[in-house]
Structure formats: structure tokens, C-alpha cells
Amino acid sequence: MKSIARTFTLSLGLAATVLFLAMIAIAVWQSQLREYEPVVCRVAAGILYDSAVVDPGHALTIRSTPRVEELKSISPNLWYVVSYEKMITEFGGEHRPALPFSLPYGGPVGFSVLNTLDQNATFCLAVIPWGPSDLVMMVGGAQVRFGQMLMSFVGRNIFPLFLVAFAFALMVLIGVWLSGRFVARGIDRVTRRALAIDPSAPQGSISLDEVPVELKPLVEALNRAFDEINAYIKMQRRFLGNAAHQLRTPLTLLRAKIEDVADPQLRIALVRDMRRLTSLVSAMLDLARLQNHAIAKRPIDLAEVARDVLADFSPSALDAGIELALEQDEDGTVVQGVEAAVRSALANLVGNALIHAGGARRITATIGCGSVSISDDGAGFSPGDERTFIEPFQTGNAADGGAGLGLSIVQEIMAAHGGEFIITSTPGGGTTASLRFPEATAGMPGESRSGSVETA
């Protein structure tokens, strides 16, 4: 993709160069129309001057150079008389009319266009200093090409042309800079407004009032895309909320039927599984409400929630021979959120650690300031696999006691709370999953300073 600023600069610079050259060509053309004969005089005299060879007191010759031959070829009626002191050389004498003065000429230095003696034609008189004397050139019937006139014009006006070119280039650069700034500021305004839109609820749109005309089609397309994304997100959230709500009634009926199971051990296991499923459905419903901003956040004591979750998993940890521990070394364990959703997130992390932390002997819940981490001393996994495990249905399954949603629901819960879900692991050194909330409220009732739940 090419840079807009670079393309704009090159295009404008090329256009300005063409415009400048066109202005020079027009100036030369106008000069030719107004002062054709003086210009031809200067060009022809310059050609003869460059070709003249003077041997003082002996000879004066005009060398047959390519420019002289070109001048003769395009000027069929060309004639000229060149003199230096008393030496004279002449060409095209048959075309030369009677002159108003005798040769050699001894007038002032300069260029002049004079009439012939019969007043029927004009000729060019050029007197140029040459050593101790002057080189006098009289030329008539000369014709020159436009390129020769252009070079003569540039040579005679090199300094003014340089000033004009410098001023023109300066104006172009200033124009490019100002235009680039204008385009950049317009794009920057659009970018800031786009970044200000909440990704989780992109119902906002970018105002077209301050957008440059060239960017309005792009902004309108972005606004349409935001509207479509927002409608899709609302549809997904509505489906999630409806599905969770519809599952509550059959789960309640199923739990009532489980109470009639005769086998006590089977009934306890079914009740435990039913409680987990009900908690998951409640968390999904709370998550949908939280994403729709339809539920109020309340203070949650992370230490208390972590202690309850570890207690719920104590029987499973005891069967697996894994020790559960709770550590708290800092204040600020109270955060704002939805308790059922946070409890579901912690339960998911502890359940995944029990099932998938191969070779683990200890799982520790560490409570920090506005954060809680679940760590194990299992086999761990290679760096870079964290994203894979967060994808839905990548960790756990129903047979192993997992919910089937893996860690994706944890990611969604933390996103709804405005927090972060971070997984770090080292092969052979265990895995740590951390929930970091945006802020903590210290000193709230029910806050725990330290404690542990251990199961051998």
C-alpha cells in the first residue's frame, strides 16, 4: 500500500514542474511574438561569435561548426558580415541588401535591429568586445529553432528564472505541507472517533461534520459496518440470555427428580453435577445481562469467593490427591462485579487445573490487590499456546467434568468486567491463570486478610 502523503507530494510536485515548464515555454513564445527579430539577432550573433576565429592583423574566419551549418540550412536567405578592426568575412553576399553605413562599423557595443538602406528589410547589428577591439556582426535573413530561442532566453534570464523557480518551489512545498497536514488531521480525527467507540457495544457512529469530503464515503461505510456489527452482537447476546433463561426451568425439574434417586452416592454425585450446571447457566445469564448493562455491579470479596470455590472442589481434589491452598498477602480484595459470574470464572479455572494440570500436587489460589490467580505445579505447556486454550471447547469435556466451554467463558466474564484474563505457563513449571479487575475497594466488610484451604 502506497503512502497517501508520498503519492500526494509526488503528484503535486510533478504537476507543479510541468506547470512551471509550461510557463517558461509560454514566456518564450510571447517573447518571440513581441521581439522576434531581437531574439533571432541574439541567437544568430551568438552562433557566429562562438564560431569566430580571429588572428589579429592577419585573418578573420567563421568556422564551419554544426550550429553554423544548422543556421545556414534553416535560413535560405541568410547573409552575414563579420568584421574585426579592418578584417572582414562575409557569407551570402547575393542576399545582402544595401546597408545604411560603410564597413567596417565603429559604433557602440550592443545589439540593434536596423532597417536596410531601401527601408524594405531589417537586419541585426551586434557589437561585442573582443580583446583590444570589438567584433562586429551584421546578420540578415536568419531563422532559428524554438529550442535555440528557449536556450537563449534561459541564458539571458538565468538569475530571474532561478528566483522564480525557487519561489514557485517554496510555494509548492508549503502547499504540499499544508495539504498534507489537513489530510492527516482529518484522518486523525476519524481515527480518534473510531477508537472512542466501545468494541463490545459499537452502537456509536463517527460524525460526518468534521470529516473531509474525500473521507466521507469511507466514514459512511465504517458507520454502516458498526451498525451491522452492533446488530449482530445484540442478536448473540439476546440468544445467550434467552438460552440461559430457558434452561433454568428444565434444570429445576431435573433437580427435583434427582432427589428421588434411591442410591445415596449416585444422588450426591448427580446433585453436585446439577449444581455445577445450574451455576454455569446462571453465570451465562448474568454475563448476558452484564454485557447489555442491565445488571448492577456489586462489591465482591475475592477471598471469600475463592474460599467457597476451593471448598466446593475439595472432594474432587481429595480423590485426585491434590492439595488446595488459599494465600492472601495484600489488601484490596474487594472488587465491583457480578458475584455469580466471578464465581463461575474461578470454578472454571480450578476445575481446569484439577483436570488438565498433569502431575500437579498443589493448586493455589492467590489473592492480590484487585486480582486472583490460580496456580498449579503441573507439567505446564509451551509458550504461545495460551490463545489456543482460550478458544471455546479447547479445554475439558463433559466426561472429564469440564463444562465444554473451556476458558472462553472466563475471557468473556473478565471482558464484561473491564478486566484482564492472563495465562502464563512454563513447561515443567506449572501454569498460572490470573483474573485482574480494573479497580479494588479496600476495607469493605467481609474482607479476608489471609487463610488457606488444604486437602491432602
Side-chain angles (χ1 to χ4, degrees):
M1 181 62 68
K2 296 182 179 179
S3 169
I4 295 177
R6 186 182 299 110
T7 303
F8 180 74
T9 301
L10 292 177
S11 301
L12 188 56
L14 179 61
T17 302
V18 173
L19 179 60
F20 181 75
L21 294 178
M23 291 172 57
I24 297 297
I26 292 174
V28 175
W29 182 256
Q30 292 295 325
S31 174
Q32 180 181 6
L33 293 179
R34 293 193 307 267
E35 302 178 352
Y36 178 76
E37 293 181 350
V39 173
V40 172
C41 174
R42 290 180 179 274
V43 174
I47 294 175
L48 297 177
Y49 180 83
D50 293 337
S51 304
V53 178
V54 178
D55 184 6
H58 296 85
L60 169 63
T61 57
I62 301 298
R63 292 180 294 113
S64 180
T65 63
R67 296 181 65 193
V68 171
E69 295 303 319
E70 181 184 15
L71 178 63
K72 293 178 180 179
S73 65
I74 63 177
S75 306
N77 298 321
L78 175 68
W79 63 267
Y80 62 79
V81 178
V82 181
S83 64
Y84 183 80
E85 296 179 347
K86 294 182 179 182
M87 296 179 294
I88 298 176
T89 183
E90 182 177 359
F91 172 80
E94 67 277 12
H95 302 299
R96 178 171 64 84
L99 301 178
F101 45 76
S102 60
L103 298 176
Y105 176 79
V109 174
F111 290 86
S112 302
V113 177
L114 304 175
N115 292 324
T116 58
L117 188 61
D118 56 9
Q119 302 294 315
N120 292 328
T122 60
F123 67 98
C124 169
L125 173 64
V127 181
I128 303 175
W130 185 299
S133 185
D134 298 327
L135 187 67
V136 180
M137 292 168 288
M138 285 170 278
V139 184
Q143 296 181 10
V144 295
R145 300 187 188 280
F146 180 78
Q148 293 174 317
M149 297 181 63
L150 178 62
M151 294 303 297
S152 176
F153 178 85
V154 172
R156 288 184 291 106
N157 301 277
I158 185 65
F159 184 71
L161 286 176
F162 174 78
L163 292 180
V164 172
F166 178 78
F168 192 81
L170 185 61
M171 288 190 297
V172 170
L173 290 176
I174 293 176
V176 169
W177 183 79
L178 292 177
S179 301
R181 288 278 296 175
F182 175 77
V183 174
R185 289 179 62 184
I187 296 176
D188 185 60
R189 284 196 298 268
V190 174
T191 302
R192 288 199 305 268
R193 292 182 181 275
L195 292 176
I197 297 176
D198 184 5
S200 62
Q203 68 273 11
S205 60
I206 303 174
S207 175
L208 298 177
D209 296 338
E210 300 181 3
V211 175
V213 176
E214 294 79 5
L215 295 179
K216 283 188 177 180
L218 173 62
V219 174
E220 291 174 351
L222 287 176
N223 287 338
R224 287 196 298 270
F226 288 148
D227 292 339
E228 294 177 1
I229 293 173
N230 183 55
Y232 181 73
I233 291 176
K234 286 183 177 179
M235 181 181 66
Q236 281 192 322
R237 291 174 178 173
R238 187 163 53 249
F239 172 79
L240 177 63
N242 291 338
H245 183 74
Q246 294 297 325
L247 285 173
R248 279 189 166 184
T249 300
L251 287 177
T252 301
L253 296 176
L254 184 59
R255 182 168 183 175
K257 294 179 180 180
I258 289 176
E259 296 295 336
D260 297 333
V261 174
D263 188 347
Q265 297 296 330
L266 178 60
R267 183 170 63 253
I268 293 174
L270 290 175
V271 169
R272 182 171 62 250
D273 293 339
M274 182 60 59
R275 185 182 299 113
R276 291 180 181 176
L277 185 57
T278 302
S279 176
L280 176 61
V281 171
S282 298
M284 292 172 60
L285 184 58
D286 290 338
L287 177 60
R289 292 174 177 173
L290 183 63
Q291 290 176 333
N292 289 321
H293 307 286
I295 190 170
K297 297 180 182 180
R298 295 181 176 85
I300 304 173
D301 189 340
L302 294 178
E304 183 177 346
V305 173
R307 185 180 291 105
D308 292 344
V309 171
L310 293 180
D312 290 340
F313 281 93
S314 292
S316 300
L318 183 63
D319 294 340
I322 297 177
E323 176 187 359
L324 300 181
L326 174 65
E327 297 180 357
Q328 177 187 349
D329 298 329
E330 299 184 16
D331 295 332
T333 66
V334 176
V335 298
Q336 297 291 325
V338 180
E339 182 175 343
V342 176
R343 187 182 297 273
S344 176
L346 284 176
N348 202 315
L349 295 181
V350 175
N352 273 278
L354 286 172
I355 297 171
H356 302 288
R361 306 305 302 171
R362 180 183 174 92
I363 296 176
T364 304
T366 304
I367 311 299
C369 182
S371 66
V372 55
S373 300
I374 304 299
S375 305
D376 63 70
D377 57 357
F381 53 83
S382 301
D385 293 340
E386 297 87 349
R387 179 65 60 181
T388 302
F389 293 134
I390 293 178
E391 294 296 326
F393 304 103
Q394 293 300 316
T395 59
N397 52 58
D400 291 334
L405 291 177
L407 302 177
S408 61
I409 191 171
V410 180
Q411 177 83 358
E412 293 293 333
I413 290 173
M414 292 309 298
H417 283 78
E420 295 179 303
F421 175 39
I422 302 174
I423 300 178
T424 57
S425 183
T426 303
T431 303
T432 300
S434 302
L435 308 181
R436 297 181 182 178
F437 294 84
E439 59 182 9
T441 304
M444 297 296 292
E447 180 178 351
S448 300
R449 291 292 301 170
S450 62
S452 64
V453 178
E454 297 187 357
T455 303

